[in-house]
Amino acid sequence: MSFLTVIIFCATIFCVQSVTYNINSSTTNWQTILSNLKAGDIVTIHHGTYVTPGFFQLTLNGTLNNPIIIQGAPNETRPIIQGPVAGANAQNVINIQGSNFMVKGIAFTKGSRGVRLGPAVTSNAIFDNIYIFNTTGTAFSANDNANEYANITLQNSEITNTNALAATTGECVYVGCVSDECRIRDSLFQHNYCHDTLGSVGGSRAGFQIKPGSYNVIIRNNVCYNVVGPCIIVYDGYDRGRNLIDGNLAVNAGTADIGIQCTSGATITNNIVINSNLAGIGVIVNSLYPNVSYTRNITINQNTVYMSQADACLRLNSVTNKNITILNNVFYCGNQPSIKASNDLTGARIYNNATNGSISATGISSCGTFAVSSNAFLNAAATNFYPASSSLLINKGVNLRYQAFYDYNGMPRSIVTPTVGAYEYSTTNNPGCPVINNFKCASSTASVPQYPLTP
Ligand SMILES: *[C@@H]1O[C@H](CO)[C@@H](O)[C@H](O)[C@H]1NC(C)=O
Ligand SMILES: *[C@@H]1O[C@H](CO)[C@@H](O)[C@H](O)[C@H]1NC(C)=O
Ligand SMILES: *[C@@H]1O[C@H](CO)[C@@H](O)[C@H](O)[C@H]1NC(C)=O
Ligand SMILES: *[C@@H]1O[C@H](CO)[C@@H](O)[C@H](O)[C@H]1NC(C)=O
Ligand SMILES: *[C@@H]1O[C@H](CO)[C@@H](O)[C@H](O)[C@H]1NC(C)=O
Ligand SMILES: *[C@@H]1O[C@H](CO)[C@@H](O)[C@H](O)[C@H]1NC(C)=O
Ligand SMILES: *[C@@H]1O[C@H](CO)[C@@H](O)[C@H](O)[C@H]1NC(C)=O
Ligand SMILES: *[C@@H]1O[C@H](CO)[C@@H](O)[C@H](O)[C@H]1NC(C)=O
Ligand SMILES: *[C@@H]1O[C@H](CO)[C@@H](O)[C@H](O)[C@H]1NC(C)=O
Ligand SMILES: CC(=O)N[C@H]1CO[C@H](CO)[C@@H](O)[C@@H]1O
């Protein structure tokens, strides 16, 4: 080993001085501690309420091998970081920028936005088990112009009442910018619970909003309940890589909008969407990449959509068969159309979809759909959409190359004849998580499917 190598080895391994800090409610300099963290530092914040003076910017410069960790004390109620005031002129509770850090087990409240990533570009960050409540605006955002946010994870986190103090768009999550002016990529939003944001007005008022040009973003195993706008909305991925929407549950979301909405570059699998106001799932021409200006690269496979208040289970606007596949879904809409399309669908790949309700679209081949009654489900009235033992859904799917290999519960699917809808039939009763208004599988710590997904 050369002398130079030894020095570099020392520099990378031994010369990082990690410090462990404990913050409690009598720690007066807690903001100074948080503002001066170095790579490898770990801060434990004990239960209590920590009020900021207003503007509070953190820069966390961790390294891949020595991330910075800020965590609530294990086994204590989460500490609360609170903006001093609320309402229209409040500051965000906290702005965080940097890379290679983790924020875990902390609550944020009041202020304007909850957590804003920025204003500088931010990457390799994990937010785990956080709780953002009673803010004046969007709970979690990453939308400063010209930034490309990469490798951001938000998981096991609860967000609620994002317009407690003034009527705002109040998204649970808003990442990326309009017209690709900033974007997020290679990121993960999983097992979060976004609920009761009914005060949202203006904008899209969404649960999880991933703006145009963002790509390789996975949004999985989240639950939305009582959200005005779409539970999940993605726009055009600019053909950089698809965004994946898998295994989510949307109940009463949007109460005035679509349940899950995309424009281009999206794979939508294994989701359950109940009682949206407009379409359960919608492909809507919205913010297309100007150079191509058409909708493309969408797969909608193995979803269960149950009822729409005012439109259809599946709404296709200006879909003209640019690599669009729709198969193995249940579109159960009763008195509303199961499928409604503004364009003729001749040539689009539409197979094996179970429908209840009229079809308001032309060009779907006769083998594209088959009708089912409510007895296809174990107990639709009790929101149990697992297939009944005699269900017409069982073994009625097809395996194309966009096969989802697992179901809503993470159970393996038949490769040859999967069950149509979000659940694969394997036993007489649902072996997985019921549909409830809570985190998927009932708690932030419940284990949920973690399988790899292919776009
Ligand atoms: C709170 O932290 C301070 C240091 O900031 C320490 O001196 C004190 O003992 C701690 N109190 C408790 C109850 O842990
Ligand atoms: C973080 O890194 C940036 C860029 O190197 C530097 O300007 C800033 O002072 C650093 N901040 C902290 C708190 O380490
Ligand atoms: C937290 O509680 C769990 C279960 O009671 C226990 O196993 C664990 O050791 C506790 N952790 C700490 C840091 O006290
Ligand atoms: C993404 O970020 C996490 C957490 O900081 C890190 O462990 C992981 O190595 C990063 N991945 C890449 C590809 O940089
Ligand atoms: C949050 O807001 C709700 C509704 O406005 C209110 O009932 C609740 O008490 C608030 N919680 C806290 C801790 O302020
Ligand atoms: C997209 O269109 C703009 C303006 O017409 C052009 O400058 C740019 O090179 C185009 N990008 C690609 C990838 O074709
Ligand atoms: C998207 O579709 C276009 C043609 O419709 C194709 O050229 C392109 O490769 C596709 N991209 C992805 C990521 O599938
Ligand atoms: C269609 O999309 C799939 C999946 O992204 C991709 O592999 C394929 O190249 C696309 N085909 C066309 C014709 O665009
Ligand atoms: C839709 O389901 C209802 C309730 O089970 C049933 O009465 C009706 O016949 C079904 N409609 C179609 C077109 O299958
Ligand atoms: C091409 C195709 O997918 N055909 C299937 C459509 O759905 C019916 C009912 O499940 C099947 O019998 C067809 O094989």
Side-chain angles (χ1 to χ4, degrees):
M1 201 185 279
S2 74
F3 182 55
L4 185 61
T5 314
V6 172
I7 290 176
I8 292 170
F9 187 67
C10 165
T12 51
I13 303 295
F14 300 109
C15 304
V16 171
Q17 297 287 320
S18 299
V19 181
T20 303
Y21 298 94
N22 265 284
I23 289 175
N24 61 48
S25 46
S26 51
T27 310
T28 51
N29 64 336
W30 64 274
Q31 289 174 75
T32 312
I33 293 173
L34 295 181
S35 299
N36 290 285
L37 295 172
K38 303 275 180 288
D41 288 353
I42 298 176
V43 186
T44 299
I45 308 181
H46 291 271
H47 174 59
T49 299
Y50 300 83
V51 181
T52 73
F55 183 78
F56 185 30
Q57 172 79 55
L58 284 189
T59 300
L60 301 174
N61 295 337
T63 63
L64 210 46
N65 292 326
N66 291 286
I68 291 171
I69 298 174
I70 301 177
Q71 60 181 5
N75 297 352
E76 289 180 21
T77 310
R78 290 186 193 91
I80 298 172
I81 297 184
Q82 183 176 305
V85 289
N89 299 316
Q91 295 283 347
N92 303 325
V93 182
I94 197 166
N95 294 344
I96 307 182
Q97 63 190 17
S99 62
N100 298 297
F101 62 86
M102 173 154 80
V103 177
K104 187 175 178 180
I106 295 179
F108 300 91
T109 193
K110 289 197 173 177
S112 172
R113 282 184 254 172
V115 174
R116 169 197 182 195
L117 293 193
V121 70
T122 296
S123 61
N124 293 8
I126 298 175
F127 291 82
D128 187 21
N129 187 29
I130 66 172
Y131 178 38
I132 308 180
F133 67 101
N134 292 18
T135 54
T136 308
T138 297
F140 186 92
S141 69
N143 66 329
D144 283 284
N145 267 12
N147 281 352
E148 183 164 295
Y149 303 88
N151 191 18
I152 308 294
T153 296
L154 172 67
Q155 61 187 6
N156 307 320
S157 295
E158 179 174 354
I159 296 176
T160 189
N161 204 18
T162 48
N163 9 65
L165 309 144
T168 65
T169 57
E171 293 86 0
C172 284
V173 168
Y174 184 116
V175 289
C177 293
V178 295
S179 307
D180 191 37
E181 285 161 4
C182 79
R183 71 197 68 84
I184 185 169
R185 63 172 171 84
D186 303 305
S187 292
L188 180 60
F189 296 87
Q190 65 175 357
H191 199 224
N192 301 295
Y193 179 37
C194 163
H195 66 102
D196 297 292
T197 59
L198 291 179
S200 298
V201 295
S204 88
R205 309 153 298 177
F208 299 83
Q209 170 146 219
I210 318 295
K211 300 299 282 184
S214 298
Y215 62 101
N216 290 346
V217 177
I218 296 177
I219 307 131
R220 70 175 172 201
N221 294 323
N222 300 289
V223 176
C224 296
Y225 172 66
N226 280 351
V227 172
V228 182
C231 173
I232 299 163
I233 178 167
V234 300
Y235 300 82
D236 190 341
Y238 283 53
D239 211 14
R240 293 173 179 143
R242 289 187 181 210
N243 296 307
L244 301 181
I245 300 174
D246 182 87
N248 302 283
L249 169 65
V251 183
N252 297 353
T255 57
D257 212 311
I258 292 171
I260 295 176
Q261 179 175 336
C262 73
T263 297
S264 274
T267 298
I268 301 176
T269 45
N270 291 322
N271 301 284
I272 297 178
V273 184
I274 303 169
N275 276 338
S276 294
N277 181 259
L278 302 178
I281 297 178
V283 179
I284 307 293
V285 178
N286 192 345
S287 301
L288 283 168
Y289 177 43
N291 293 39
V292 297
S293 193
Y294 54 75
T295 308
R296 65 259 159 93
N297 301 333
I298 293 170
T299 300
I300 300 175
N301 185 14
Q302 305 276 187
N303 301 283
T304 294
V305 180
Y306 187 77
M307 297 303 187
S308 147
Q309 301 304 302
D311 193 58
C313 278
L314 174 68
R315 159 66 83 163
L316 305 171
N317 274 7
S318 303
V319 166
T320 50
N321 188 28
K322 296 281 199 303
N323 207 359
I324 292 178
T325 304
I326 299 168
L327 75 165
N328 303 330
N329 302 287
V330 182
F331 299 122
Y332 190 105
C333 254
N335 294 330
Q336 299 290 346
S338 54
I339 302 176
K340 202 166 177 177
S342 65
N343 283 50
D344 186 86
L345 297 170
T346 301
R349 289 190 290 269
I350 303 182
Y351 305 117
N352 297 61
N353 298 287
T355 59
N356 183 284
S358 61
I359 295 178
S360 177
T362 59
I364 301 179
S365 69
S366 61
C367 66
T369 62
F370 62 99
V372 292
S373 299
S374 58
N375 64 9
F377 305 118
L378 214 44
N379 188 348
T383 65
N384 186 344
F385 300 105
Y386 189 74
S389 59
S390 59
S391 177
L392 285 179
L393 304 173
I394 299 170
N395 294 341
K396 288 287 165 45
V398 279
N399 171 26
L400 295 186
R401 66 180 193 277
Y402 308 111
Q403 170 90 31
F405 294 100
Y406 299 87
D407 78 347
Y408 178 83
N409 287 328
M411 306 289 283
R413 283 198 181 275
S414 162
I415 296 299
V416 184
T417 52
T419 305
V420 168
Y423 292 109
E424 180 76 6
Y425 182 81
S426 57
T427 61
T428 49
N429 285 303
N430 183 358
C433 309
V435 166
I436 51 170
N437 306 331
N438 199 338
F439 278 96
K440 187 168 177 181
C441 307
S443 83
S444 64
T445 52
S447 64
V448 287
Q450 296 289 334
Y451 50 85
L453 296 163
T454 41

